[in-house]
Amino acid sequence: MSVAASADQEEKPRPVRASVVGSAEFVLPYHQDEDVRSFTFDAHAAPYSRPLPGIPGGLPTDARGTVKLSHYSAERDITYTSKGRVDCLVTGVRTSTLTAVITEVSPGGPPIVGNRVGFSVYDGGAEKGKGRSTDRVGFSWNGVNLLPKGSAPPQEAPVGTCMAPAPYAPVTKGGYAVAHAELPVPPSSLKGAPGPASE
């Protein structure tokens, strides 16, 4: 093999836009049951595409795409599903956080249409010699996003864009692919436009 060919193989082009795609089942490390939980992501960065009040050019973390959630309840023998519209995505090497606003919930599911939920993904690839995924996923409910207030029972806190806990739940089937790209500077047409307040 020539030196040039070897260099071409080593220098893989970086993605122009970040993304998180894939579908996987996972388990909760702190709660063992017979339920089957899965998330499907089709999230793609779309920087500076979502104008906001005071931020007419949008943000470098703007994104588009969908999330699909599925939860089979063994106790009730029913599968609950929901869908959401992705609005934010940030990636690092093998990692990402994203948020989506829920647009659909199947009958009997929680009343969360209109709520923003957060996810994190770790793209660990396959375990050497075993072929199984080492991916992990995290999400912003089930007790990880609470607001304790004195003696009152804690309430679930609102989720801001791209906010999610660390990916704490191991994937058991399927997997995710995180394509990392740096957050881009605004296009020249937006430079100097009002943006979020900085410290």
Side-chain angles (χ1 to χ4, degrees):
M1 180 182 294
S2 70
V3 176
S6 177
D8 287 343
Q9 288 184 352
E10 292 177 4
E11 295 180 9
K12 296 179 180 178
R14 299 193 66 163
V16 176
R17 293 283 184 259
S19 65
V20 180
V21 297
S23 184
E25 296 178 6
F26 58 91
V27 293
L28 301 177
Y30 54 85
H31 180 67
Q32 304 301 313
D33 57 24
E34 299 300 318
D35 291 8
V36 179
R37 301 168 174 87
S38 69
F39 296 153
T40 299
F41 301 121
D42 184 21
H44 303 267
Y48 306 104
S49 64
R50 300 171 56 85
L52 293 169
I55 315 174
L59 297 168
T61 54
D62 290 343
R64 59 178 174 79
T66 57
V67 298
K68 297 179 182 178
L69 291 65
S70 176
H71 180 182
Y72 168 73
S73 169
E75 180 181 358
R76 301 179 183 178
D77 192 24
I78 188 172
T79 298
Y80 300 101
T81 61
S82 55
K83 296 179 182 179
R85 183 185 68 253
V86 173
D87 65 357
C88 190
L89 170 65
V90 174
T91 62
V93 177
R94 292 183 175 269
T95 63
S96 70
T97 62
L98 62 145
T99 48
V101 176
I102 298 298
T103 56
E104 296 179 34
V105 176
S106 64
I112 57 173
V113 170
N115 289 7
R116 179 179 289 104
V117 291
F119 305 90
S120 60
V121 175
Y122 170 66
D123 177 3
E127 187 174 2
K128 286 186 177 180
K130 298 186 179 179
R132 64 187 177 204
S133 174
T134 60
D135 294 358
R136 302 176 72 89
V137 68
F139 51 99
S140 64
W141 61 97
N142 270 20
V144 299
N145 185 38
L146 300 178
L147 279 176
K149 292 183 178 180
S151 59
Q155 296 180 333
E156 189 167 297
V159 174
T161 56
C162 277
M163 293 293 100
Y168 55 85
V171 162
T172 56
K173 183 178 180 181
Y176 301 111
V178 174
H180 170 56
E182 301 296 344
L183 294 176
V185 298
S188 57
S189 61
L190 296 179
K191 288 181 178 177
S198 59
E199 295 180 353

